[in-house]
mmCIF file with all atom_site columns, all heavy atoms in Angstrom:
data_model
loop_
_atom_site.group_PDB
_atom_site.id
_atom_site.type_symbol
_atom_site.label_atom_id
_atom_site.label_alt_id
_atom_site.label_comp_id
_atom_site.label_asym_id
_atom_site.label_entity_id
_atom_site.label_seq_id
_atom_site.pdbx_PDB_ins_code
_atom_site.Cartn_x
_atom_site.Cartn_y
_atom_site.Cartn_z
_atom_site.occupancy
_atom_site.B_iso_or_equiv
_atom_site.pdbx_formal_charge
_atom_site.auth_seq_id
_atom_site.auth_comp_id
_atom_site.auth_asym_id
_atom_site.auth_atom_id
_atom_site.pdbx_PDB_model_num
ATOM 1   N N   . VAL E 1 70  ? -28.003 11.234 12.580 1.00 95.00 ? 433 VAL E N   1
ATOM 2   C CA  . VAL E 1 70  ? -28.155 10.589 11.274 1.00 95.00 ? 433 VAL E CA  1
ATOM 3   C C   . VAL E 1 70  ? -29.465 9.811  11.186 1.00 95.00 ? 433 VAL E C   1
ATOM 4   O O   . VAL E 1 70  ? -30.112 9.766  10.148 1.00 95.00 ? 433 VAL E O   1
ATOM 5   C CB  . VAL E 1 70  ? -26.906 9.703  10.963 1.00 95.00 ? 433 VAL E CB  1
ATOM 6   C CG1 . VAL E 1 70  ? -26.867 8.485  11.865 1.00 95.00 ? 433 VAL E CG1 1
ATOM 7   C CG2 . VAL E 1 70  ? -26.870 9.313  9.502  1.00 95.00 ? 433 VAL E CG2 1
ATOM 8   N N   . GLN E 1 72  ? -32.188 10.755 12.722 1.00 95.00 ? 435 GLN E N   1
ATOM 9   C CA  . GLN E 1 72  ? -33.226 11.773 12.548 1.00 95.00 ? 435 GLN E CA  1
ATOM 10  C C   . GLN E 1 72  ? -33.284 12.243 11.094 1.00 95.00 ? 435 GLN E C   1
ATOM 11  O O   . GLN E 1 72  ? -34.362 12.513 10.554 1.00 95.00 ? 435 GLN E O   1
ATOM 12  C CB  . GLN E 1 72  ? -32.963 12.939 13.507 1.00 95.00 ? 435 GLN E CB  1
ATOM 13  C CG  . GLN E 1 72  ? -33.189 12.528 14.965 1.00 95.00 ? 435 GLN E CG  1
ATOM 14  C CD  . GLN E 1 72  ? -32.625 13.525 15.972 1.00 95.00 ? 435 GLN E CD  1
ATOM 15  O OE1 . GLN E 1 72  ? -32.269 14.648 15.612 1.00 95.00 ? 435 GLN E OE1 1
ATOM 16  N NE2 . GLN E 1 72  ? -32.540 13.108 17.212 1.00 95.00 ? 435 GLN E NE2 1
ATOM 17  N N   . ILE E 1 73  ? -32.107 12.362 10.473 1.00 95.00 ? 436 ILE E N   1
ATOM 18  C CA  . ILE E 1 73  ? -32.079 12.771 9.065  1.00 95.00 ? 436 ILE E CA  1
ATOM 19  C C   . ILE E 1 73  ? -32.803 11.737 8.194  1.00 95.00 ? 436 ILE E C   1
ATOM 20  O O   . ILE E 1 73  ? -33.693 12.076 7.416  1.00 95.00 ? 436 ILE E O   1
ATOM 21  C CB  . ILE E 1 73  ? -30.623 12.948 8.584  1.00 95.00 ? 436 ILE E CB  1
ATOM 22  C CG1 . ILE E 1 73  ? -29.978 14.136 9.301  1.00 95.00 ? 436 ILE E CG1 1
ATOM 23  C CG2 . ILE E 1 73  ? -30.587 13.160 7.067  1.00 95.00 ? 436 ILE E CG2 1
ATOM 24  C CD1 . ILE E 1 73  ? -28.487 14.289 9.007  1.00 95.00 ? 436 ILE E CD1 1
ATOM 25  N N   . PHE E 1 74  ? -32.431 10.464 8.381  1.00 94.00 ? 437 PHE E N   1
ATOM 26  C CA  . PHE E 1 74  ? -33.090 9.399  7.630  1.00 94.00 ? 437 PHE E CA  1
ATOM 27  C C   . PHE E 1 74  ? -34.589 9.417  7.883  1.00 94.00 ? 437 PHE E C   1
ATOM 28  O O   . PHE E 1 74  ? -35.392 9.289  6.970  1.00 94.00 ? 437 PHE E O   1
ATOM 29  C CB  . PHE E 1 74  ? -32.541 8.018  8.063  1.00 94.00 ? 437 PHE E CB  1
ATOM 30  C CG  . PHE E 1 74  ? -31.339 7.602  7.271  1.00 94.00 ? 437 PHE E CG  1
ATOM 31  C CD1 . PHE E 1 74  ? -30.162 7.219  7.908  1.00 94.00 ? 437 PHE E CD1 1
ATOM 32  C CD2 . PHE E 1 74  ? -31.391 7.574  5.885  1.00 94.00 ? 437 PHE E CD2 1
ATOM 33  C CE1 . PHE E 1 74  ? -29.055 6.823  7.182  1.00 94.00 ? 437 PHE E CE1 1
ATOM 34  C CE2 . PHE E 1 74  ? -30.285 7.177  5.143  1.00 94.00 ? 437 PHE E CE2 1
ATOM 35  C CZ  . PHE E 1 74  ? -29.111 6.808  5.796  1.00 94.00 ? 437 PHE E CZ  1
ATOM 36  N N   . PHE E 1 75  ? -34.948 9.564  9.133  1.00 93.00 ? 438 PHE E N   1
ATOM 37  C CA  . PHE E 1 75  ? -36.352 9.485  9.527  1.00 93.00 ? 438 PHE E CA  1
ATOM 38  C C   . PHE E 1 75  ? -37.170 10.549 8.807  1.00 93.00 ? 438 PHE E C   1
ATOM 39  O O   . PHE E 1 75  ? -38.184 10.266 8.190  1.00 93.00 ? 438 PHE E O   1
ATOM 40  C CB  . PHE E 1 75  ? -36.466 9.652  11.053 1.00 93.00 ? 438 PHE E CB  1
ATOM 41  C CG  . PHE E 1 75  ? -37.793 9.230  11.587 1.00 93.00 ? 438 PHE E CG  1
ATOM 42  C CD1 . PHE E 1 75  ? -38.013 7.903  11.940 1.00 93.00 ? 438 PHE E CD1 1
ATOM 43  C CD2 . PHE E 1 75  ? -38.831 10.143 11.726 1.00 93.00 ? 438 PHE E CD2 1
ATOM 44  C CE1 . PHE E 1 75  ? -39.243 7.492  12.418 1.00 93.00 ? 438 PHE E CE1 1
ATOM 45  C CE2 . PHE E 1 75  ? -40.065 9.747  12.204 1.00 93.00 ? 438 PHE E CE2 1
ATOM 46  C CZ  . PHE E 1 75  ? -40.262 8.418  12.555 1.00 93.00 ? 438 PHE E CZ  1
ATOM 47  N N   . ILE E 1 76  ? -36.686 11.797 8.895  1.00 94.00 ? 439 ILE E N   1
ATOM 48  C CA  . ILE E 1 76  ? -37.453 12.883 8.293  1.00 94.00 ? 439 ILE E CA  1
ATOM 49  C C   . ILE E 1 76  ? -37.524 12.724 6.773  1.00 94.00 ? 439 ILE E C   1
ATOM 50  O O   . ILE E 1 76  ? -38.568 12.931 6.153  1.00 94.00 ? 439 ILE E O   1
ATOM 51  C CB  . ILE E 1 76  ? -36.839 14.241 8.682  1.00 94.00 ? 439 ILE E CB  1
ATOM 52  C CG1 . ILE E 1 76  ? -37.116 14.508 10.167 1.00 94.00 ? 439 ILE E CG1 1
ATOM 53  C CG2 . ILE E 1 76  ? -37.397 15.366 7.811  1.00 94.00 ? 439 ILE E CG2 1
ATOM 54  C CD1 . ILE E 1 76  ? -36.535 15.786 10.679 1.00 94.00 ? 439 ILE E CD1 1
ATOM 55  N N   . PHE E 1 77  ? -36.418 12.264 6.176  1.00 95.00 ? 440 PHE E N   1
ATOM 56  C CA  . PHE E 1 77  ? -36.381 12.186 4.711  1.00 95.00 ? 440 PHE E CA  1
ATOM 57  C C   . PHE E 1 77  ? -37.162 10.990 4.163  1.00 95.00 ? 440 PHE E C   1
ATOM 58  O O   . PHE E 1 77  ? -37.878 11.116 3.175  1.00 95.00 ? 440 PHE E O   1
ATOM 59  C CB  . PHE E 1 77  ? -34.919 12.118 4.230  1.00 95.00 ? 440 PHE E CB  1
ATOM 60  C CG  . PHE E 1 77  ? -34.793 12.226 2.740  1.00 95.00 ? 440 PHE E CG  1
ATOM 61  C CD1 . PHE E 1 77  ? -35.185 13.392 2.070  1.00 95.00 ? 440 PHE E CD1 1
ATOM 62  C CD2 . PHE E 1 77  ? -34.294 11.174 1.983  1.00 95.00 ? 440 PHE E CD2 1
ATOM 63  C CE1 . PHE E 1 77  ? -35.060 13.503 0.687  1.00 95.00 ? 440 PHE E CE1 1
ATOM 64  C CE2 . PHE E 1 77  ? -34.175 11.280 0.595  1.00 95.00 ? 440 PHE E CE2 1
ATOM 65  C CZ  . PHE E 1 77  ? -34.562 12.451 -0.042 1.00 95.00 ? 440 PHE E CZ  1
ATOM 66  N N   . TYR E 1 78  ? -37.040 9.835  4.837  1.00 94.00 ? 441 TYR E N   1
ATOM 67  C CA  . TYR E 1 78  ? -37.657 8.638  4.286  1.00 94.00 ? 441 TYR E CA  1
ATOM 68  C C   . TYR E 1 78  ? -39.008 8.300  4.904  1.00 94.00 ? 441 TYR E C   1
ATOM 69  O O   . TYR E 1 78  ? -39.870 7.734  4.243  1.00 94.00 ? 441 TYR E O   1
ATOM 70  C CB  . TYR E 1 78  ? -36.718 7.428  4.426  1.00 94.00 ? 441 TYR E CB  1
ATOM 71  C CG  . TYR E 1 78  ? -35.507 7.537  3.524  1.00 94.00 ? 441 TYR E CG  1
ATOM 72  C CD1 . TYR E 1 78  ? -34.239 7.744  4.044  1.00 94.00 ? 441 TYR E CD1 1
ATOM 73  C CD2 . TYR E 1 78  ? -35.652 7.457  2.141  1.00 94.00 ? 441 TYR E CD2 1
ATOM 74  C CE1 . TYR E 1 78  ? -33.136 7.857  3.220  1.00 94.00 ? 441 TYR E CE1 1
ATOM 75  C CE2 . TYR E 1 78  ? -34.558 7.576  1.304  1.00 94.00 ? 441 TYR E CE2 1
ATOM 76  C CZ  . TYR E 1 78  ? -33.296 7.770  1.837  1.00 94.00 ? 441 TYR E CZ  1
ATOM 77  O OH  . TYR E 1 78  ? -32.215 7.895  1.020  1.00 94.00 ? 441 TYR E OH  1
ATOM 78  N N   . LEU E 1 87  ? -40.167 16.115 1.667  1.00 92.00 ? 450 LEU E N   1
ATOM 79  C CA  . LEU E 1 87  ? -39.253 17.256 1.691  1.00 92.00 ? 450 LEU E CA  1
ATOM 80  C C   . LEU E 1 87  ? -38.076 16.953 0.780  1.00 92.00 ? 450 LEU E C   1
ATOM 81  O O   . LEU E 1 87  ? -37.652 15.810 0.642  1.00 92.00 ? 450 LEU E O   1
ATOM 82  C CB  . LEU E 1 87  ? -38.752 17.509 3.114  1.00 92.00 ? 450 LEU E CB  1
ATOM 83  C CG  . LEU E 1 87  ? -39.829 17.774 4.172  1.00 92.00 ? 450 LEU E CG  1
ATOM 84  C CD1 . LEU E 1 87  ? -39.217 17.819 5.561  1.00 92.00 ? 450 LEU E CD1 1
ATOM 85  C CD2 . LEU E 1 87  ? -40.566 19.067 3.886  1.00 92.00 ? 450 LEU E CD2 1
ATOM 86  N N   . SER E 1 88  ? -37.556 17.996 0.152  1.00 93.00 ? 451 SER E N   1
ATOM 87  C CA  . SER E 1 88  ? -36.349 17.825 -0.651 1.00 93.00 ? 451 SER E CA  1
ATOM 88  C C   . SER E 1 88  ? -35.202 17.499 0.295  1.00 93.00 ? 451 SER E C   1
ATOM 89  O O   . SER E 1 88  ? -35.294 17.759 1.497  1.00 93.00 ? 451 SER E O   1
ATOM 90  C CB  . SER E 1 88  ? -36.046 19.124 -1.393 1.00 93.00 ? 451 SER E CB  1
ATOM 91  O OG  . SER E 1 88  ? -35.575 20.094 -0.476 1.00 93.00 ? 451 SER E OG  1
ATOM 92  N N   . PRO E 1 89  ? -34.111 16.892 -0.219 1.00 92.00 ? 452 PRO E N   1
ATOM 93  C CA  . PRO E 1 89  ? -32.982 16.565 0.661  1.00 92.00 ? 452 PRO E CA  1
ATOM 94  C C   . PRO E 1 89  ? -32.522 17.783 1.459  1.00 92.00 ? 452 PRO E C   1
ATOM 95  O O   . PRO E 1 89  ? -32.249 17.676 2.661  1.00 92.00 ? 452 PRO E O   1
ATOM 96  C CB  . PRO E 1 89  ? -31.906 16.101 -0.317 1.00 92.00 ? 452 PRO E CB  1
ATOM 97  C CG  . PRO E 1 89  ? -32.651 15.610 -1.505 1.00 92.00 ? 452 PRO E CG  1
ATOM 98  C CD  . PRO E 1 89  ? -33.889 16.444 -1.597 1.00 92.00 ? 452 PRO E CD  1
ATOM 99  N N   . TRP E 1 90  ? -32.439 18.926 0.810  1.00 91.00 ? 453 TRP E N   1
ATOM 100 C CA  . TRP E 1 90  ? -31.993 20.132 1.515  1.00 91.00 ? 453 TRP E CA  1
ATOM 101 C C   . TRP E 1 90  ? -32.910 20.476 2.671  1.00 91.00 ? 453 TRP E C   1
ATOM 102 O O   . TRP E 1 90  ? -32.441 20.667 3.804  1.00 91.00 ? 453 TRP E O   1
ATOM 103 C CB  . TRP E 1 90  ? -31.937 21.322 0.548  1.00 91.00 ? 453 TRP E CB  1
ATOM 104 C CG  . TRP E 1 90  ? -30.573 21.501 -0.027 1.00 91.00 ? 453 TRP E CG  1
ATOM 105 C CD1 . TRP E 1 90  ? -30.103 20.978 -1.194 1.00 91.00 ? 453 TRP E CD1 1
ATOM 106 C CD2 . TRP E 1 90  ? -29.499 22.231 0.571  1.00 91.00 ? 453 TRP E CD2 1
ATOM 107 N NE1 . TRP E 1 90  ? -28.801 21.340 -1.375 1.00 91.00 ? 453 TRP E NE1 1
ATOM 108 C CE2 . TRP E 1 90  ? -28.405 22.103 -0.315 1.00 91.00 ? 453 TRP E CE2 1
ATOM 109 C CE3 . TRP E 1 90  ? -29.351 22.964 1.730  1.00 91.00 ? 453 TRP E CE3 1
ATOM 110 C CZ2 . TRP E 1 90  ? -27.171 22.693 -0.057 1.00 91.00 ? 453 TRP E CZ2 1
ATOM 111 C CZ3 . TRP E 1 90  ? -28.134 23.558 1.989  1.00 91.00 ? 453 TRP E CZ3 1
ATOM 112 C CH2 . TRP E 1 90  ? -27.053 23.411 1.103  1.00 91.00 ? 453 TRP E CH2 1
ATOM 113 N N   . VAL E 1 91  ? -34.205 20.565 2.384  1.00 92.00 ? 454 VAL E N   1
ATOM 114 C CA  . VAL E 1 91  ? -35.146 20.979 3.428  1.00 92.00 ? 454 VAL E CA  1
ATOM 115 C C   . VAL E 1 91  ? -35.186 19.949 4.544  1.00 92.00 ? 454 VAL E C   1
ATOM 116 O O   . VAL E 1 91  ? -35.158 20.295 5.735  1.00 92.00 ? 454 VAL E O   1
ATOM 117 C CB  . VAL E 1 91  ? -36.553 21.202 2.827  1.00 92.00 ? 454 VAL E CB  1
ATOM 118 C CG1 . VAL E 1 91  ? -37.551 21.509 3.929  1.00 92.00 ? 454 VAL E CG1 1
ATOM 119 C CG2 . VAL E 1 91  ? -36.506 22.334 1.807  1.00 92.00 ? 454 VAL E CG2 1
ATOM 120 N N   . ALA E 1 92  ? -35.207 18.663 4.162  1.00 93.00 ? 455 ALA E N   1
ATOM 121 C CA  . ALA E 1 92  ? -35.225 17.616 5.189  1.00 93.00 ? 455 ALA E CA  1
ATOM 122 C C   . ALA E 1 92  ? -33.971 17.705 6.053  1.00 93.00 ? 455 ALA E C   1
ATOM 123 O O   . ALA E 1 92  ? -34.031 17.596 7.285  1.00 93.00 ? 455 ALA E O   1
ATOM 124 C CB  . ALA E 1 92  ? -35.316 16.235 4.533  1.00 93.00 ? 455 ALA E CB  1
ATOM 125 N N   . GLY E 1 93  ? -32.822 17.918 5.403  1.00 93.00 ? 456 GLY E N   1
ATOM 126 C CA  . GLY E 1 93  ? -31.558 17.997 6.135  1.00 93.00 ? 456 GLY E CA  1
ATOM 127 C C   . GLY E 1 93  ? -31.529 19.177 7.089  1.00 93.00 ? 456 GLY E C   1
ATOM 128 O O   . GLY E 1 93  ? -31.140 19.037 8.257  1.00 93.00 ? 456 GLY E O   1
ATOM 129 N N   . MET E 1 94  ? -31.966 20.357 6.586  1.00 93.00 ? 457 MET E N   1
ATOM 130 C CA  . MET E 1 94  ? -31.973 21.547 7.448  1.00 93.00 ? 457 MET E CA  1
ATOM 131 C C   . MET E 1 94  ? -32.905 21.357 8.624  1.00 93.00 ? 457 MET E C   1
ATOM 132 O O   . MET E 1 94  ? -32.603 21.743 9.745  1.00 93.00 ? 457 MET E O   1
ATOM 133 C CB  . MET E 1 94  ? -32.427 22.788 6.656  1.00 93.00 ? 457 MET E CB  1
ATOM 134 C CG  . MET E 1 94  ? -31.502 23.243 5.553  1.00 93.00 ? 457 MET E CG  1
ATOM 135 S SD  . MET E 1 94  ? -29.836 23.548 6.096  1.00 93.00 ? 457 MET E SD  1
ATOM 136 C CE  . MET E 1 94  ? -29.145 21.924 5.939  1.00 93.00 ? 457 MET E CE  1
ATOM 137 N N   . ALA E 1 96  ? -33.804 18.546 10.041 1.00 95.00 ? 459 ALA E N   1
ATOM 138 C CA  . ALA E 1 96  ? -33.240 17.594 11.000 1.00 95.00 ? 459 ALA E CA  1
ATOM 139 C C   . ALA E 1 96  ? -32.124 18.241 11.824 1.00 95.00 ? 459 ALA E C   1
ATOM 140 O O   . ALA E 1 96  ? -32.113 18.154 13.057 1.00 95.00 ? 459 ALA E O   1
ATOM 141 C CB  . ALA E 1 96  ? -32.707 16.367 10.265 1.00 95.00 ? 459 ALA E CB  1
ATOM 142 N N   . PRO E 1 163 ? -21.496 16.575 7.014  1.00 93.00 ? 526 PRO E N   1
ATOM 143 C CA  . PRO E 1 163 ? -21.278 15.421 6.119  1.00 93.00 ? 526 PRO E CA  1
ATOM 144 C C   . PRO E 1 163 ? -22.382 14.393 6.215  1.00 93.00 ? 526 PRO E C   1
ATOM 145 O O   . PRO E 1 163 ? -22.620 13.650 5.263  1.00 93.00 ? 526 PRO E O   1
ATOM 146 C CB  . PRO E 1 163 ? -19.944 14.851 6.609  1.00 93.00 ? 526 PRO E CB  1
ATOM 147 C CG  . PRO E 1 163 ? -19.232 16.020 7.173  1.00 93.00 ? 526 PRO E CG  1
ATOM 148 C CD  . PRO E 1 163 ? -20.303 16.858 7.806  1.00 93.00 ? 526 PRO E CD  1
ATOM 149 N N   . MET E 1 164 ? -23.084 14.342 7.360  1.00 93.00 ? 527 MET E N   1
ATOM 150 C CA  . MET E 1 164 ? -24.171 13.371 7.476  1.00 93.00 ? 527 MET E CA  1
ATOM 151 C C   . MET E 1 164 ? -25.257 13.621 6.440  1.00 93.00 ? 527 MET E C   1
ATOM 152 O O   . MET E 1 164 ? -26.019 12.713 6.098  1.00 93.00 ? 527 MET E O   1
ATOM 153 C CB  . MET E 1 164 ? -24.793 13.450 8.877  1.00 93.00 ? 527 MET E CB  1
ATOM 154 C CG  . MET E 1 164 ? -23.885 12.885 9.941  1.00 93.00 ? 527 MET E CG  1
ATOM 155 S SD  . MET E 1 164 ? -24.792 12.799 11.472 1.00 93.00 ? 527 MET E SD  1
ATOM 156 C CE  . MET E 1 164 ? -23.430 12.732 12.611 1.00 93.00 ? 527 MET E CE  1
ATOM 157 N N   . LEU E 1 165 ? -25.333 14.872 5.964  1.00 92.00 ? 528 LEU E N   1
ATOM 158 C CA  . LEU E 1 165 ? -26.362 15.177 4.975  1.00 92.00 ? 528 LEU E CA  1
ATOM 159 C C   . LEU E 1 165 ? -26.103 14.440 3.662  1.00 92.00 ? 528 LEU E C   1
ATOM 160 O O   . LEU E 1 165 ? -27.007 14.281 2.848  1.00 92.00 ? 528 LEU E O   1
ATOM 161 C CB  . LEU E 1 165 ? -26.413 16.691 4.714  1.00 92.00 ? 528 LEU E CB  1
ATOM 162 C CG  . LEU E 1 165 ? -26.867 17.524 5.912  1.00 92.00 ? 528 LEU E CG  1
ATOM 163 C CD1 . LEU E 1 165 ? -26.786 18.999 5.585  1.00 92.00 ? 528 LEU E CD1 1
ATOM 164 C CD2 . LEU E 1 165 ? -28.300 17.150 6.289  1.00 92.00 ? 528 LEU E CD2 1
ATOM 165 N N   . SER E 1 166 ? -24.854 13.971 3.470  1.00 90.00 ? 529 SER E N   1
ATOM 166 C CA  . SER E 1 166 ? -24.557 13.253 2.229  1.00 90.00 ? 529 SER E CA  1
ATOM 167 C C   . SER E 1 166 ? -25.360 11.957 2.145  1.00 90.00 ? 529 SER E C   1
ATOM 168 O O   . SER E 1 166 ? -25.623 11.475 1.050  1.00 90.00 ? 529 SER E O   1
ATOM 169 C CB  . SER E 1 166 ? -23.057 12.968 2.144  1.00 90.00 ? 529 SER E CB  1
ATOM 170 O OG  . SER E 1 166 ? -22.675 12.105 3.199  1.00 90.00 ? 529 SER E OG  1
ATOM 171 N N   . VAL E 1 167 ? -25.804 11.443 3.282  1.00 90.00 ? 530 VAL E N   1
ATOM 172 C CA  . VAL E 1 167 ? -26.544 10.177 3.251  1.00 90.00 ? 530 VAL E CA  1
ATOM 173 C C   . VAL E 1 167 ? -27.890 10.326 2.544  1.00 90.00 ? 530 VAL E C   1
ATOM 174 O O   . VAL E 1 167 ? -28.471 9.341  2.089  1.00 90.00 ? 530 VAL E O   1
ATOM 175 C CB  . VAL E 1 167 ? -26.783 9.577  4.669  1.00 90.00 ? 530 VAL E CB  1
ATOM 176 C CG1 . VAL E 1 167 ? -25.456 9.241  5.318  1.00 90.00 ? 530 VAL E CG1 1
ATOM 177 C CG2 . VAL E 1 167 ? -27.637 10.485 5.532  1.00 90.00 ? 530 VAL E CG2 1
ATOM 178 N N   . ILE E 1 168 ? -28.423 11.553 2.482  1.00 92.00 ? 531 ILE E N   1
ATOM 179 C CA  . ILE E 1 168 ? -29.673 11.721 1.720  1.00 92.00 ? 531 ILE E CA  1
ATOM 180 C C   . ILE E 1 168 ? -29.417 12.518 0.442  1.00 92.00 ? 531 ILE E C   1
ATOM 181 O O   . ILE E 1 168 ? -30.339 13.031 -0.173 1.00 92.00 ? 531 ILE E O   1
ATOM 182 C CB  . ILE E 1 168 ? -30.791 12.386 2.568  1.00 92.00 ? 531 ILE E CB  1
ATOM 183 C CG1 . ILE E 1 168 ? -30.308 13.691 3.189  1.00 92.00 ? 531 ILE E CG1 1
ATOM 184 C CG2 . ILE E 1 168 ? -31.296 11.428 3.634  1.00 92.00 ? 531 ILE E CG2 1
ATOM 185 C CD1 . ILE E 1 168 ? -31.423 14.519 3.818  1.00 92.00 ? 531 ILE E CD1 1
ATOM 186 N N   . GLY E 1 169 ? -28.145 12.645 0.065  1.00 88.00 ? 532 GLY E N   1
ATOM 187 C CA  . GLY E 1 169 ? -27.822 13.206 -1.238 1.00 88.00 ? 532 GLY E CA  1
ATOM 188 C C   . GLY E 1 169 ? -27.729 14.716 -1.321 1.00 88.00 ? 532 GLY E C   1
ATOM 189 O O   . GLY E 1 169 ? -27.828 15.282 -2.395 1.00 88.00 ? 532 GLY E O   1
ATOM 190 N N   . VAL E 1 170 ? -27.552 15.382 -0.185 1.00 88.00 ? 533 VAL E N   1
ATOM 191 C CA  . VAL E 1 170 ? -27.299 16.822 -0.242 1.00 88.00 ? 533 VAL E CA  1
ATOM 192 C C   . VAL E 1 170 ? -25.873 17.019 -0.750 1.00 88.00 ? 533 VAL E C   1
ATOM 193 O O   . VAL E 1 170 ? -24.937 16.409 -0.245 1.00 88.00 ? 533 VAL E O   1
ATOM 194 C CB  . VAL E 1 170 ? -27.463 17.482 1.144  1.00 88.00 ? 533 VAL E CB  1
ATOM 195 C CG1 . VAL E 1 170 ? -27.024 18.944 1.112  1.00 88.00 ? 533 VAL E CG1 1
ATOM 196 C CG2 . VAL E 1 170 ? -28.907 17.376 1.614  1.00 88.00 ? 533 VAL E CG2 1
ATOM 197 N N   . THR E 1 171 ? -25.725 17.869 -1.743 1.00 86.00 ? 534 THR E N   1
ATOM 198 C CA  . THR E 1 171 ? -24.402 17.998 -2.379 1.00 86.00 ? 534 THR E CA  1
ATOM 199 C C   . THR E 1 171 ? -23.501 18.919 -1.576 1.00 86.00 ? 534 THR E C   1
ATOM 200 O O   . THR E 1 171 ? -23.147 20.002 -2.021 1.00 86.00 ? 534 THR E O   1
ATOM 201 C CB  . THR E 1 171 ? -24.523 18.560 -3.797 1.00 86.00 ? 534 THR E CB  1
ATOM 202 O OG1 . THR E 1 171 ? -25.275 19.781 -3.713 1.00 86.00 ? 534 THR E OG1 1
ATOM 203 C CG2 . THR E 1 171 ? -25.210 17.584 -4.702 1.00 86.00 ? 534 THR E CG2 1
ATOM 204 N N   . GLN E 1 175 ? -20.254 14.812 0.138  1.00 91.00 ? 538 GLN E N   1
ATOM 205 C CA  . GLN E 1 175 ? -20.899 14.223 -1.031 1.00 91.00 ? 538 GLN E CA  1
ATOM 206 C C   . GLN E 1 175 ? -20.029 14.435 -2.282 1.00 91.00 ? 538 GLN E C   1
ATOM 207 O O   . GLN E 1 175 ? -19.853 13.533 -3.099 1.00 91.00 ? 538 GLN E O   1
ATOM 208 C CB  . GLN E 1 175 ? -22.273 14.883 -1.220 1.00 91.00 ? 538 GLN E CB  1
ATOM 209 C CG  . GLN E 1 175 ? -22.950 14.585 -2.528 1.00 91.00 ? 538 GLN E CG  1
ATOM 210 C CD  . GLN E 1 175 ? -23.681 13.266 -2.466 1.00 91.00 ? 538 GLN E CD  1
ATOM 211 O OE1 . GLN E 1 175 ? -23.677 12.591 -1.446 1.00 91.00 ? 538 GLN E OE1 1
ATOM 212 N NE2 . GLN E 1 175 ? -24.292 12.872 -3.576 1.00 91.00 ? 538 GLN E NE2 1
#
Side-chain angles (χ1 to χ4, degrees):
Chain E
V433 70
Q435 291 166 13
I436 293 173
F437 271 127
F438 195 87
I439 289 178
F440 188 64
Y441 291 111
L450 302 172
S451 72
W453 266 93
V454 175
M457 294 305 87
M527 288 188 201
L528 294 176
S529 64
V530 297
I531 53 169
V533 173
T534 53
Q538 169 83 0

